[in-house]
Amino acid sequence: MTETKKTADQLRSARWFAPDDLRSFGHRSRMMQMGLGPEDWEGRPVIGILNTWSEMNPCHLHFRDRAEDVKKGIAQAGGLGLEIPTISIDESFTKPTSMLYRNMIAMETEETIRSHPLDGVVLMGGCDKSTPGLTMGAISAGVPFIFLPAGPMLRGNYAGRALGSGSDAWKFWDERRAGTISAEEWVGVEGGIARSYGHCMTMGTASTMTAIAEAMGLTLPGATSIPAADAGHKRMSASCGRRIVDMVWEDLTPDKIITPAAVQNAATVAMATGCSTNAVVHLLAMARRAGVALELNDLDALGRTTPLIANIRPLGSSEYLMEDFYFAGGLRALMDQLGDKLDRSAITCTGKPLEEGIAGAPVYNDDVIRPLSNPVYKEGSLAVLKGNLCPNGAVIKPAACDPKFHHHEGPALVFDSYPEMKAAIDDENLDVTPDHVLVLRNAGPQGGPGMPEWGMLPMPKALLKQGHRDMLRISDARMSGTSYGACILHVAPESFVGGPLALLKTGDIVRMDLEARTLDMLVDEDELAARRAAWKAPEPRFERGWGYMFQRHVGQADQGCDFDYLTAAFGQAAGEPDIF
């Protein structure tokens, strides 16, 4: 039986419905206008179901049905569930990138919660930026919430081979450009790579961020591993509805869950799963919303001591996808394998320590979920580089690239825009060698705008024809979590605002030393000073609207790309709204 800390008169929604005055008369009459009666809300928590369903978001296509499962669970626990649509952002169709709108969904979530009579909320998300965006807003709003993950889609298939979303798209596109596969095979892959609703079924950004949410204590145990099309996903959705009602009575607010220990757990699990590089900007932003100090150096330190034990794409075996991870035991089993690398006393949305949700979780396939003694890679998923090209940091996935690039020195081949780069790399006569370092700049938070997923720069066709499939690449952009290769990303400060990447020229020698965590251009200080004096700032990308606000307030990649005025350090969140 749930221990009740709140009484009915202390419910937040009671401010709207309980008083005997004109304004509350209006609130009650409008509820009755919707076919509800006093028995639906009196003495019951009102739960908002924030639904990111959209017919333009294939990752969330099942959410229209799942909202009904959530409502069922809420009703079973004695609450009133009301569905509220929010902006639906996805990386499939939203251009130039859904990252441009992550802070928008965060603001909408925060203000929707604050301005409505909601005692708690269920956040329905999963595709890349929806998880951090929804949770950032709910953290700032401060009411009890639980995250309902969309779940990965079913494995892809073509000609008897398993296909992984994203990862195989890049691989087969390289082969298409190299002329090693036919147009018929290319179309076959296109039709087989995404076989159901749900987010990417590799350990891309979507699976990374939902795993982070679970490790942080924001989901039910095991919720993030369930495939979207599995019947268990419906049952989990109803369980979310039941649990949020109890969280309201228990007054289990986000500040009691998202502690420094919870954030460290999330970062550790990210490293152990082979996380997307995008985890960096989102983890930093989520932590700072909760007032938890987190820096790039903290993540690099965890990366050095946390082995990669999830043997799934894109860093692990090409044979295994998220479906295999689920059947192998899922995230609960992986977290249990991490042992004392996690703070198992951290409280989760269950109201109980993490330990109770993961202790003894069985591993059914120890090739998919490896023990610490037999990791896929000896260190974690990410490393942070610093140097005169990236004084505030840059990010690389060491296990995603050929080890020969872990120590590399070569001449830069610099491009100022994606169209310029694309035209050059498709030129089979391009003067390029495998030792060159491809550089794309003006693709960061302001330059992109929104820091698009352009960072896995395509291999030059001339090198593909010679049989090469990797080379060192540098950008202030991000890349898809399903990507791979020797890609250095998130260079900060970005070139568009005058970061050192703006001073690099084609032919300059670039040196990367992974072990030392350094990235430098071998150009003397006098020459750099002269280039700095000659540099001219680009014209702003926007003159009005959301983009105008974005470019004035977005932080750099090393700060999480949140708006400066939305972090906990900027000021106190607004209190409860006046009701007169």
Side-chain angles (χ1 to χ4, degrees):
M1 190 69 159
T2 299
E3 180 186 350
T4 300
K5 293 184 177 179
K6 277 190 173 182
T7 56
D9 62 301
Q10 295 173 325
L11 290 172
R12 185 172 179 270
S13 59
R15 295 186 63 232
W16 274 260
F17 300 124
D20 184 14
D21 60 20
L22 179 61
R23 185 58 60 207
S24 294
F25 164 87
H27 299 152
R28 293 189 296 268
S29 69
R30 292 302 187 182
M31 292 289 276
M32 296 179 79
Q33 179 186 9
M34 296 189 292
L36 299 170
E39 61 277 8
D40 290 306
W41 69 78
E42 283 184 354
R44 299 174 181 268
V46 178
I47 307 298
I49 305 168
L50 272 60
N51 192 352
T52 53
W53 171 84
S54 165
E55 287 188 330
M56 284 297 292
N57 189 339
C59 305
H60 297 180
L61 203 59
H62 54 312
F63 270 176
R64 183 158 59 179
D65 295 331
R66 294 298 183 271
E68 295 303 314
D69 297 316
V70 176
K71 277 187 187 178
K72 178 176 70 175
I74 293 169
Q76 288 170 345
L80 171 62
L82 298 173
E83 186 179 354
I84 303 172
T86 66
I87 183 174
S88 187
I89 55 174
D90 72 293
E91 204 58 47
S92 300
F93 298 117
T94 307
K95 304 302 177 190
T97 168
S98 61
M99 185 63 183
L100 185 62
Y101 303 103
R102 184 201 68 182
N103 295 344
M104 179 184 281
I105 192 172
M107 293 177 73
E108 181 183 26
T109 299
E110 178 179 352
E111 299 306 327
T112 295
I113 293 171
R114 179 172 293 118
S115 61
H116 286 84
L118 304 177
D119 299 299
V121 291
V122 177
L123 307 175
M124 300 179 65
C127 184
D128 292 20
K129 319 310 178 296
S130 63
T131 301
L134 288 164
T135 56
M136 286 160 63
I139 290 166
S140 296
V143 306
F145 75 84
I146 192 169
F147 186 78
L148 191 165
M153 69 177 92
L154 299 178
R155 64 168 58 251
N157 185 279
Y158 170 68
R161 287 184 294 175
L163 295 177
S165 49
S167 299
D168 276 317
W170 318 126
K171 182 181 78 173
F172 280 97
W173 179 235
D174 275 352
E175 300 309 321
R176 178 83 169 122
R177 293 173 64 232
T180 62
I181 65 170
S182 67
E184 181 182 3
E185 289 173 300
W186 176 243
V187 172
V189 171
E190 183 178 291
I193 202 166
R195 293 179 44 245
S196 76
Y197 48 73
H199 60 65
C200 290
M201 81 304 259
T202 51
M203 186 53 73
T205 304
S207 292
T208 290
M209 293 314 303
T210 57
I212 282 172
E214 181 169 340
M216 201 177 284
L218 307 180
T219 78
L220 293 175
T224 64
S225 304
I226 307 170
D230 193 290
H233 196 273
K234 293 173 67 68
R235 295 192 294 273
M236 180 271 294
S237 300
S239 296
C240 286
R242 289 190 293 272
R243 178 58 198 152
I244 188 60
V245 174
D246 287 345
M247 289 177 68
V248 170
W249 290 126
E250 295 166 16
D251 199 27
L252 189 53
T253 48
D255 58 299
K256 297 167 186 171
I257 298 173
I258 309 174
T259 61
V263 170
Q264 176 138 330
N265 284 346
T268 300
V269 167
M271 296 296 173
T273 55
C275 69
S276 163
T277 48
N278 293 309
V280 174
V281 290
H282 300 319
L283 253 175
L284 289 168
M286 292 165 70
R288 293 176 184 211
R289 284 295 185 103
V292 175
L294 184 68
E295 305 292 339
L296 279 178
N297 288 343
D298 301 322
L299 297 175
D300 184 67
L302 281 173
R304 287 185 181 269
T305 60
T306 308
L308 167 58
I309 60 173
N311 189 22
I312 52 178
R313 296 192 201 183
L315 298 192
S317 169
S318 61
E319 181 182 349
Y320 299 132
L321 297 163
M322 287 301 293
E323 216 173 326
D324 303 290
F325 181 69
Y326 172 58
F327 291 125
L331 197 68
R332 291 176 61 242
L334 179 138
M335 286 196 283
D336 196 36
Q337 291 294 300
L338 288 172
D340 60 7
K341 290 185 178 295
L342 299 179
D343 185 335
R344 301 163 83 98
S345 68
I347 298 300
T348 75
C349 68
T350 64
K352 300 173 183 176
L354 178 67
E355 167 74 8
E356 292 199 24
I358 66 175
V363 173
Y364 299 109
N365 185 334
D366 63 5
D367 190 40
V368 177
I369 300 174
R370 300 278 189 91
L372 291 176
S373 59
N374 182 32
V376 177
Y377 187 71
K378 63 180 180 178
E379 295 184 357
S381 307
L382 305 175
V384 175
L385 310 175
K386 291 192 176 178
N388 69 0
L389 259 180
C390 53
N392 293 353
V395 179
I396 187 172
K397 293 172 87 168
C401 63
D402 191 315
K404 69 183 180 182
F405 294 111
H406 289 185
H407 300 271
H408 185 78
E409 191 172 302
L413 183 55
V414 182
F415 301 103
D416 288 318
S417 71
Y418 201 93
E420 177 192 1
M421 178 205 66
K422 190 173 186 300
I425 63 167
D426 283 338
D427 180 0
E428 295 186 31
N429 297 313
L430 179 67
D431 185 13
V432 63
T433 72
D435 290 330
H436 269 88
V437 179
L438 286 188
V439 178
L440 174 65
R441 60 190 175 200
N442 297 317
Q446 294 200 29
M451 207 178 173
E453 293 185 343
W454 297 342
M456 185 183 169
L457 312 186
M459 289 287 293
K461 186 177 285 189
L463 294 182
L464 289 174
K465 295 279 189 178
Q466 296 170 25
H468 300 287
R469 294 296 183 268
D470 201 4
M471 67 188 303
L472 194 63
R473 290 160 273 184
I474 300 174
S475 181
D476 44 17
R478 298 176 301 110
M479 76 176 182
S480 167
T482 64
S483 301
Y484 49 85
C487 300
I488 299 171
L489 311 154
H490 307 189
V491 170
E494 64 176 306
S495 56
F496 196 82
V497 300
L501 195 64
L503 309 181
L504 188 68
K505 291 186 176 180
T506 292
D508 289 343
I509 301 300
V510 173
R511 176 190 294 157
M512 193 269 282
D513 185 333
L514 179 64
E515 183 61 31
R517 298 296 202 259
T518 57
L519 177 66
D520 295 289
M521 52 180 161
L522 306 187
V523 181
D524 66 54
E525 291 301 321
D526 289 343
E527 173 63 18
L528 288 178
R531 294 182 189 182
R532 166 73 59 196
W535 181 78
K536 293 183 180 180
E539 290 295 316
R541 295 290 196 197
F542 300 98
E543 295 185 359
R544 62 175 298 279
W546 173 256
Y548 179 81
M549 182 165 68
F550 185 95
Q551 71 189 6
R552 284 177 169 252
H553 296 286
V554 70
Q556 288 293 295
D558 62 300
Q559 302 165 348
C561 297
D562 202 359
F563 287 170
D564 51 12
Y565 58 81
L566 292 178
T567 64
F570 190 84
Q572 292 294 318
E576 289 295 329
D578 293 328
I579 302 177
F580 297 127

